[in-house]
Amino acid sequence: MKLAKLLLGVAVLSLSLQAAQATESTANGEKILRYAFRAAETGFDPAQLSDLYSRVLTENMFEALYTYDYLASPIKVVPALADGMPEISDNFTTYTIKVKRGVLFADDPAFCDADGKNCKKRELTAQDVVYTIKRIYDPKVKSPIYSDLEELHLLGMNELREQAIKAGAPFNFDTEVEGLRALDRYTVQFKLAETRPRFIYSLADGGVLGVVAREVVEKYGDKIMEHPVGTGPYKLDQWTRSSKITFDRNPNFRESYYDASPAADDAFAQTIYKQMKGKRLPMIDRVEVSIIEEEQPRWLAFLGNDHDFYERMAPTFAYQAIPNNQLAPNLLKRGITMTRTSSPDVTIFYFSMEDSVVGGYTAEKVALRRAIGLAYNSDEEIRIPRRNQAIAAQSVMQPATYGYDPKLKTESSEYNLPKAMALLDLYGYTDKDGDGWRDMPDGKPLVLDFSTQPEALFRELAETMQKSMKALGVKVKFSFKKFPDNLKAGRAGKLQIWTLAYSASSPDGDGALALLYGPNKGLGNLPRFDLPEFNKLYLQQQSMPDGPERLAVMRQAVKLSVAYMPIKVTSHRVMTDMSQPWFVGYRRNAVGRDFWKYVDIDLSKLSKK
């Protein structure tokens, strides 16, 4: 009890200090956005990242050639670093893009002489775009997004990478290749070996293809994850790993003004547009992101007015905060607002296809995975841990992306314990030693090793898994580790089963199918699924124009993923974000994450809090 009181006292003191800082900032006229992530970042080098949280940060410091209109629905690609839309020719195999003039990187010692003097402003050029993309091909970088670019077949780039691998030599960035060239200082050209009608989506994610400067990468070397230098609206100020990260407005950010294309029938977006139209970006001076992994202190920080924004409300508080999915009266009275969005994501647990227990493509291994999927009570997961803040998933395809079918019904959402038990009985997964637990067909104990995170929600999800597997007669043990640790182990192929979520980074369903594309093993493809028939379908749909024929191919790929069950999909989440009265202009974008520059702090309302 004494310890609890001490911790509460420390928490109150911390909140009081933050409140005092907020009051001081208000008096100084400084606009500061404070909010929290539920999982730690891994770093700030776009080429080395695969986690959502780090990409949110990099997308607000770096820029790609294109981005997404903040208010448009349906999703619309618009220029960021590009000076207009691409010139497309040769049946969607050649893309020629002009780069804006006068775009500057944030100031950094990398742009100074060796003695730290004679520092110069550094303009972004087409050659920087070329270098940025070439880095992803560099074997030394071990970029998790290399496979995404490999599939595009930029002429000469895969060969350039293979040369470095075979020679055991450094990647030659100065070798010009046909598929990726700077035609002049402000023009970059991409040439693809195959038709790619949706190539522009690959160029519209600053968190992944945010342009970097060669001098910065070479100066910081292996420490580049700690030294982000981009052209975006914010730059890193201070970083306390897995605790707090602060960002300041980038004084070199070009003159840019709020503009968007809200749909005529979208009243909420229209209201935001009228409020923000024409304002110079960014509007906020400073952003402070805390890492608070436990849900309760994150929620309390928001309720205590110490955070301006509460992103992705934890299902734990759904019945108190949004009873019947309506904002609670006490929150309404305070002027708090909420936005609810069907998220383009999918929650899953995956099986390592290279694991000796759950992996493999033989009939008995497929039967084991399908039985586990059938015995897992997804409805209970949605009802209890997720407090009905999700809908049942039928496949890896995510809502709001091309290829998602809301009418589709598959075994993925089926809960059928008798069918699951019959499958295991049929393939020899029976209790052979009389201890009450099923064994492998060869008599060895059948034990599932389930990896997850230590936060409260994931412990509740683990309870659902435990209950489901106990009913099936399958023993399961749990490993609770932080997300970055699980991600590292998952990419190395060291996890048997892991529960996590995937969020779409483009409006196309290709990204969901890429999660199971064989050559992506160890990168985006954490299950290490590698089925030739699936791989063929995946490549086939990439070159097809949108339409019934492409959708049919995508549907065939989905059917294979359900049949072999490398991934057990469980739900698509409904996201509820909450804003304090003084935090204005926020709207969750389906795929874009660079929202910081589009929101504002109303100091007149903040001073009254």
Side-chain angles (χ1 to χ4, degrees):
M1 180 64 73
K2 290 182 178 179
L3 177 59
K5 290 182 177 179
L6 176 60
L7 292 175
L8 178 61
V10 171
V12 171
L13 177 60
S14 174
L15 295 177
S16 298
L17 288 173
Q18 292 181 41
Q21 292 168 354
T23 302
E24 181 180 354
S25 298
T26 304
N28 294 335
E30 186 178 25
K31 297 179 178 180
I32 302 177
L33 167 61
R34 296 181 174 90
Y35 75 114
F37 285 173
R38 56 169 37 86
E41 74 297 337
T42 56
F44 308 113
D45 179 20
Q48 298 185 62
L49 303 176
S50 62
D51 65 290
L52 170 66
Y53 304 100
S54 298
R55 285 183 174 183
V56 169
L57 303 178
T58 53
E59 194 164 344
N60 287 283
M61 291 186 286
F62 295 90
E63 296 176 286
L65 288 169
Y66 294 93
T67 186
Y68 296 98
D69 188 302
Y70 185 60
L71 296 179
S73 179
I75 297 168
K76 177 183 176 183
V77 175
V78 293
L81 292 175
D83 188 10
M85 300 304 285
E87 177 187 317
I88 305 172
S89 56
D90 303 324
N91 192 28
F92 293 98
T93 60
T94 301
Y95 289 73
T96 305
I97 300 170
K98 292 289 185 181
V99 177
K100 288 177 179 175
R101 298 169 183 258
V103 175
L104 300 177
F105 284 97
D107 293 334
D108 189 83
F111 306 134
C112 305
D113 292 343
D115 60 1
K117 299 179 180 179
N118 297 319
C119 301
K120 299 179 180 179
K121 298 292 183 182
R122 171 66 157 79
E123 184 187 27
L124 178 142
T125 68
Q127 193 59 53
D128 293 313
V129 178
V130 171
Y131 173 76
T132 295
I133 295 176
K134 281 186 173 181
R135 274 194 74 221
I136 295 170
Y137 285 83
D138 183 357
K140 181 182 176 182
V141 175
K142 299 179 180 179
S143 176
I145 57 174
Y146 161 66
S147 58
D148 296 340
L149 294 186
E150 179 189 24
E151 299 159 21
L152 297 173
H153 298 292
L154 290 170
L155 295 175
M157 282 306 305
N158 291 335
E159 292 78 7
L160 188 62
R161 175 185 169 92
E162 286 302 314
Q163 289 175 15
I165 293 173
K166 290 178 180 178
F171 186 84
N172 192 337
F173 285 96
D174 297 316
T175 298
E176 185 172 287
V177 297
E178 184 181 0
L180 179 60
R181 294 188 299 162
L183 301 185
D184 57 43
R185 184 174 177 83
Y186 301 108
T187 310
V188 61
Q189 186 178 78
F190 302 88
K191 285 194 173 184
L192 315 172
E194 300 173 6
T195 298
R196 289 292 184 268
R198 293 159 295 276
F199 175 61
I200 194 169
Y201 292 150
S202 300
L203 306 177
D205 189 342
V208 175
L209 288 185
V211 178
V212 299
R214 186 169 182 172
E215 307 97 293
V216 175
V217 176
E218 293 179 348
K219 175 178 176 61
Y220 296 111
D222 293 339
K223 300 291 186 180
I224 188 60
M225 285 280 268
E226 304 170 17
H227 297 277
V229 180
T231 62
Y234 292 93
K235 61 187 184 71
L236 181 66
D237 174 40
Q238 294 182 351
W239 180 26
T240 303
R241 189 182 294 272
S242 302
S243 178
K244 189 173 183 179
I245 318 155
T246 60
F247 304 84
D248 288 332
R249 181 200 298 263
N250 175 11
N252 289 350
F253 188 63
R254 62 193 174 278
E255 191 170 335
S256 179
Y257 296 89
Y258 194 107
D259 194 16
S261 304
D265 60 352
D266 189 337
F268 182 55
Q270 287 286 348
T271 298
I272 293 175
Y273 184 57
K274 291 176 182 177
Q275 184 180 17
M276 298 295 188
K277 182 181 177 181
K279 290 188 177 183
R280 183 163 181 174
L281 306 179
M283 294 171 267
I284 288 175
D285 302 298
R286 183 176 174 84
V287 179
E288 298 180 356
V289 178
S290 301
I291 311 302
I292 305 177
E293 295 172 335
E294 289 297 334
E295 298 293 355
Q296 187 173 36
R298 238 171 35 98
W299 175 236
L300 290 176
F302 176 73
L303 290 182
N305 292 343
D306 297 298
H307 286 170
D308 311 290
F309 172 51
Y310 181 54
E311 186 182 32
R312 291 194 293 153
M313 182 200 69
T316 311
F317 308 114
Y319 297 148
Q320 292 77 32
I322 52 170
N324 299 316
N325 294 327
Q326 300 294 321
L327 200 63
N330 63 310
L331 300 180
L332 274 172
K333 186 176 181 180
R334 292 176 51 175
I336 290 173
T337 58
M338 75 168 183
T339 59
R340 284 175 57 78
T341 311
S342 295
S343 181
D345 71 3
V346 60
T347 65
I348 70 161
F349 57 85
Y350 76 76
F351 304 93
S352 172
M353 297 298 288
E354 297 175 357
D355 182 77
S356 60
V357 176
V358 299
Y361 301 83
T362 57
E364 72 273 11
K365 296 296 188 179
V366 174
L368 174 60
R369 293 193 298 273
R370 291 180 70 167
I372 293 170
L374 286 165
Y376 182 75
N377 196 335
S378 297
D379 290 338
E380 184 172 305
E381 173 187 314
I382 292 171
R383 190 176 68 257
I384 300 178
R386 299 198 183 279
R387 274 67 166 183
N388 293 314
Q389 301 302 302
I391 60 173
Q394 306 295 336
S395 77
V396 294
M397 305 299 286
Q398 300 140 321
T401 64
Y402 186 83
Y404 173 76
D405 182 359
K407 298 179 181 179
L408 180 67
K409 179 74 174 178
T410 73
E411 184 183 290
S412 292
S413 65
E414 184 180 353
Y415 171 57
N416 193 326
L417 184 58
K419 186 176 177 180
M421 297 178 77
L423 261 178
L424 294 188
D425 290 344
L426 179 64
Y427 285 93
Y429 294 94
T430 56
D431 178 10
K432 297 177 176 61
D433 56 10
D435 67 351
W437 297 102
R438 293 179 182 269
D439 299 302
M440 301 283 286
D442 61 4
K444 294 180 180 177
L446 171 58
V447 181
L448 304 182
D449 189 356
F450 192 88
S451 297
T452 186
Q453 286 72 258
E455 295 80 56
L457 172 62
F458 290 98
R459 290 189 178 277
E460 288 190 60
L461 293 172
E463 290 175 7
T464 303
M465 170 60 73
Q466 178 78 281
K467 181 180 177 181
S468 296
M469 292 304 100
K470 184 178 180 180
L472 185 62
V474 174
K475 187 177 293 186
V476 56
K477 63 178 183 179
F478 295 90
S479 174
F480 296 92
K481 293 183 180 179
K482 292 187 177 183
F483 180 84
D485 297 326
N486 278 333
L487 179 61
K488 183 178 179 180
R491 287 174 59 181
K494 295 181 179 179
L495 301 182
Q496 183 189 91
I497 306 173
W498 182 26
T499 180
L500 70 162
Y502 284 101
S503 296
S505 58
S506 91
D508 191 67
D510 173 89
L513 296 179
L515 301 176
L516 297 173
Y517 178 55
N520 288 0
K521 286 189 292 187
L523 300 171
N525 181 355
L526 294 180
R528 297 174 175 260
F529 183 64
D530 196 355
L531 185 71
E533 187 178 355
F534 181 93
N535 296 341
K536 181 180 178 181
L537 291 169
Y538 174 73
L539 293 176
Q540 183 181 348
Q541 61 84 30
Q542 278 201 321
S543 61
M544 300 174 72
D546 289 345
E549 292 81 5
R550 183 181 181 227
L551 288 173
V553 173
M554 297 175 85
R555 176 68 64 84
Q556 281 298 110
V558 164
K559 287 182 178 179
L560 286 175
S561 71
V562 173
Y564 281 86
M565 195 68 72
I567 286 177
K568 165 64 177 178
V569 300
T570 58
S571 72
H572 304 298
R573 294 174 293 183
V574 176
M575 298 298 185
T576 299
D577 304 309
M578 294 196 182
S579 301
Q580 299 284 8
W582 52 85
F583 179 62
V584 294
Y586 175 77
R587 176 190 177 93
R588 176 173 288 277
N589 191 293
V591 292
R593 298 176 289 268
D594 59 338
F595 72 90
W596 295 356
K597 66 184 176 185
Y598 298 114
V599 295
D600 199 1
I601 299 291
D602 186 335
L603 293 177
S604 64
K605 293 182 179 179
L606 178 61
S607 65
K608 300 175 182 178
K609 81 172 186 177

